[in-house]
């Protein structure tokens, strides 16, 4: 077990990193003029989302990166398009619904809830049996 001083040091470092990340995001959002293109992290800060939400929006064709990037490359997005999307309430609704659906599906698969899972029907049936078996074992 780590010493108390080591634990305190790690907590202080984590808090300092969170604070620095917040200040960096705040500085970016307070720029007078945004850059012509933004990275995934900058787009996430612009829309007040997490960086891991942006690939979900791209997969649902709600955001389109510039050029034709390969899967492993850095994706850039046009700031002019992002600013238009930020003003479009219908797009914001679609993006929010897509993110909620994605995370609901992912959480349902993780918890074994076959009702909301995208598993094939055969897998759902076996999942129901395994859930019943777990309940009987308790």
């Amino acid at each position: 077990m780590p010493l108390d001083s080591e634990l305190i040091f790690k907590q202080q470092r984590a808090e300092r990193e969170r604070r620095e990340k917040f200040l960096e995001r705040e500085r970016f959002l307070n720029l007078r003029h945004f850059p012509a293109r933004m990275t995934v992290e900058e787009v996430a800060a612009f829309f007040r989302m997490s960086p891991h939400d942006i690939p979900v929006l791209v997969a649902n064709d709600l955001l389109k990166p510039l050029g034709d990037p390969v899967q492993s490359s850095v994706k850039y997005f046009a700031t002019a398009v992002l600013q238009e999307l930020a003003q479009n309430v219908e797009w914001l609704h679609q993006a929010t619904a897509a993110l909620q659906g994605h995370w609901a599906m992912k959480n349902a698969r993780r918890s074994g809830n076959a009702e909301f899972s995208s598993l094939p029907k055969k897998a759902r049936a076996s999942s129901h049996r395994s859930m019943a078996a777990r309940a009987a074992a308790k």
Side-chain angles (χ1 to χ4, degrees):
M1 181 170 182
L3 298 172
D4 288 338
S5 61
E6 290 177 24
L7 182 62
I8 292 171
F9 177 74
K10 286 181 181 179
Q11 289 172 341
Q12 288 174 341
R13 185 170 13 136
E15 179 62 31
R16 188 170 43 249
E17 289 171 359
R18 277 193 298 271
R19 200 173 326 118
E20 288 172 3
K21 193 173 189 176
F22 174 79
L23 290 173
E24 180 181 334
R25 183 175 59 197
E26 188 177 9
R27 278 191 295 271
F28 173 74
L29 292 173
N30 286 328
L31 290 174
R32 285 182 192 256
H33 302 285
F34 287 114
R37 61 185 191 163
M38 293 188 198
T39 63
V40 169
E41 292 79 16
E42 292 168 340
V43 172
F46 181 74
F47 285 120
R48 298 279 203 255
M49 296 177 179
S50 298
H52 60 259
D53 289 336
I54 303 306
V56 175
L57 297 178
V58 171
N60 284 299
D61 293 328
L62 293 169
L63 280 179
K64 178 147 178 48
L66 292 171
D68 192 19
V70 295
Q71 187 175 5
S72 61
S73 68
V74 175
K75 311 304 189 273
Y76 292 100
F77 300 87
T79 301
V81 172
L82 298 174
Q83 288 174 332
E84 287 177 17
L85 292 175
Q87 300 298 318
N88 185 342
V89 176
E90 182 59 34
W91 182 88
L92 291 170
H93 173 73
Q94 290 175 351
T96 303
L99 291 172
Q100 289 171 343
H102 170 78
W103 292 111
M105 187 72 67
K106 192 165 183 120
N107 290 335
R109 279 189 298 228
R110 184 178 302 145
S111 68
N113 188 350
E115 279 183 49
F116 301 104
S117 178
S118 62
L119 297 172
K121 288 186 180 186
K122 184 190 285 186
R124 287 183 196 167
S126 66
S127 176
H128 277 299
R129 282 193 299 272
S130 65
M131 286 173 42
R134 281 184 281 189
K138 288 182 181 180

